[in-house]
């Protein structure tokens, strides 16, 4: 994996087309990214985070990462010195973004951003809001064991695959007990938890591409649209339909 250094000099705003990718890079500053539209997928060697427009993602300084847009998107970001880390995070995390923080990012990364004392005051507001922003458990860990990677590849290709862990084990050459132990050791999750997370990530990308709620529920393996809606609401605090319509925080 080739990784380049990208220096940030103040807030940034960059439109991204559907499926557009920003290759592996790192920053010497901490970065807060709030997608303007669509879904932004942030990947590291350890896992991936799907970030809808009504959330944000914190990327610590020095962490190599790549981006991919799902649906037309817009990358809006603020940079903070490496020693300014209000959440004390050492790996990326999806954050619940308040309406106030969203607006501050919107203004600072806008076409005519404030300068001087006004910009500094808004940056302090952003830091204050970040200290209160809860980190959400939306990470999809990437396993290292070859058998888990093969299994993950099968489910990434077809999230609706309903085979049990024992049946999947037969396909990748490992017992159910071994795979269960490996999932907990390498991802910190049980297999059902990991598969549910995979399905939610995939659902976000399909919704961003304009798929209907019913078709997404089927494609991702939920037993019914209502079961999908409830799982999505628990994870993201809104329904899939509202997420598609609004694409930004509710006030």
């Amino acid at each position: 994996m080739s990784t380049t250094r990208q220096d940030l000099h103040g807030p940034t705003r960059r439109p991204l087309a559907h499926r557009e990718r920003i290759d592996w890079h790192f920053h010497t500053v901490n970065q807060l990214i709030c997608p303007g539209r669509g879904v932004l997928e942030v990947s590291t060697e350890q896992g991936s985070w799907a970030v809808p427009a009504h959330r944000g993602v914190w990327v610590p300084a020095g962490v190599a990462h790549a981006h991919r847009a799902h649906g037309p998107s817009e990358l809006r970001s603020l940079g903070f010195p490496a020693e300014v880390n209000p959440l004390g995070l050492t790996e990326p995390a999806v954050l619940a973004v308040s309406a106030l923080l969203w607006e501050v990012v919107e203004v600072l990364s806008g076409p005519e951003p404030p300068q001087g004392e006004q910009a500094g005051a808004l940056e302090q507001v952003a830091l204050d809001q970040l200290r209160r922003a809860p980190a959400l458990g939306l990470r999809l860990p990437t396993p290292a064991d070859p058998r888990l990677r093969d299994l993950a590849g099968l489910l990434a290709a077809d999230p609706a695959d309903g085979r049990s862990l024992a049946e999947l084990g037969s396909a990748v050459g490992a017992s159910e007990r071994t795979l269960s132990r490996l999932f907990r050791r390498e991802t910190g999750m049980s297999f059902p938890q990991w598969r549910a997370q995979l399905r939610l990530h995939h659902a976000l990308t399909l919704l961003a591409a304009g798929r209907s709620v019913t078709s997404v529920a089927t494609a991702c393996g939920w037993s019914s649209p209502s079961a999908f809606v409830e799982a999505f609401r628990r994870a993201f605090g809104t329904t899939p339909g509202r997420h598609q319509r609004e694409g930004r925080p509710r006030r």
Side-chain angles (χ1 to χ4, degrees):
M1 179 182 71
S2 177
T3 303
T4 62
R5 169 176 164 173
Q6 291 187 5
D7 292 323
L8 291 177
H9 301 285
T12 63
R13 181 179 294 209
R14 173 177 172 176
L16 297 172
H18 177 50
R19 304 296 292 174
E20 184 174 349
R21 178 179 170 85
I22 300 176
D23 285 330
W24 291 95
H25 64 282
F26 71 94
H27 306 289
T28 57
V29 299
N30 296 313
Q31 188 180 28
L32 171 67
I33 302 171
C34 295
R37 296 177 293 154
V39 171
L40 186 69
E41 183 180 5
V42 179
S43 299
T44 73
E45 288 188 309
Q46 286 71 46
S48 61
W49 293 257
V51 193
H54 60 285
R55 302 296 190 193
V57 60
W58 180 264
V59 183
V63 174
H65 59 285
H67 304 303
R68 184 183 293 277
H70 298 278
S73 187
E74 190 174 56
L75 190 156
R76 305 172 183 182
S77 74
L78 304 181
F80 300 94
E83 64 273 13
V84 178
N85 191 344
L87 296 170
L89 296 169
T90 58
E91 69 173 13
V94 179
L95 308 175
V97 175
S98 68
L100 177 56
L101 179 54
W102 175 274
E103 293 298 340
V104 169
V105 175
E106 168 80 9
V107 171
L108 287 173
S109 65
E112 297 182 2
Q115 303 295 323
E117 291 185 1
Q118 186 181 8
L122 287 174
E123 288 170 0
Q124 289 302 311
V125 171
L127 284 171
D128 180 67
Q129 291 293 301
L130 277 169
R131 292 185 184 98
R132 309 178 191 187
L136 306 174
L138 299 179
R139 173 178 175 241
L140 180 65
T142 300
D145 184 272
R147 293 161 294 184
L148 290 192
R149 284 187 175 270
D150 288 346
L151 187 156
L154 290 173
L155 295 183
D158 181 14
D161 188 333
R163 283 180 287 179
S164 68
L165 188 56
E167 291 170 325
L168 289 165
S170 297
V172 300
S175 70
E176 178 182 12
R177 182 176 179 179
T178 295
L179 291 175
S180 180
R181 174 176 52 81
L182 287 171
F183 260 107
R184 289 195 176 276
R185 187 180 75 189
E186 294 200 2
T187 71
M189 298 177 175
S190 68
F191 170 66
Q193 289 170 328
W194 186 91
R195 175 151 63 180
Q197 198 80 306
L198 171 74
R199 287 175 169 174
L200 284 169
H201 278 227
H202 194 62
L204 280 171
T205 66
L206 293 180
L207 289 169
R211 294 274 294 271
S212 71
V213 171
T214 298
S215 70
V216 171
T218 300
C220 294
W222 273 279
S223 59
S224 66
S226 60
F228 167 48
V229 169
E230 179 57 23
F232 193 95
R233 186 194 61 76
R234 287 197 307 268
F236 301 111
T238 188
T239 65
R242 185 175 295 157
H243 162 72
Q244 279 187 313
R245 291 191 302 272
E246 296 181 356
R248 61 179 297 167
R250 292 170 291 165
R251 287 175 167 78

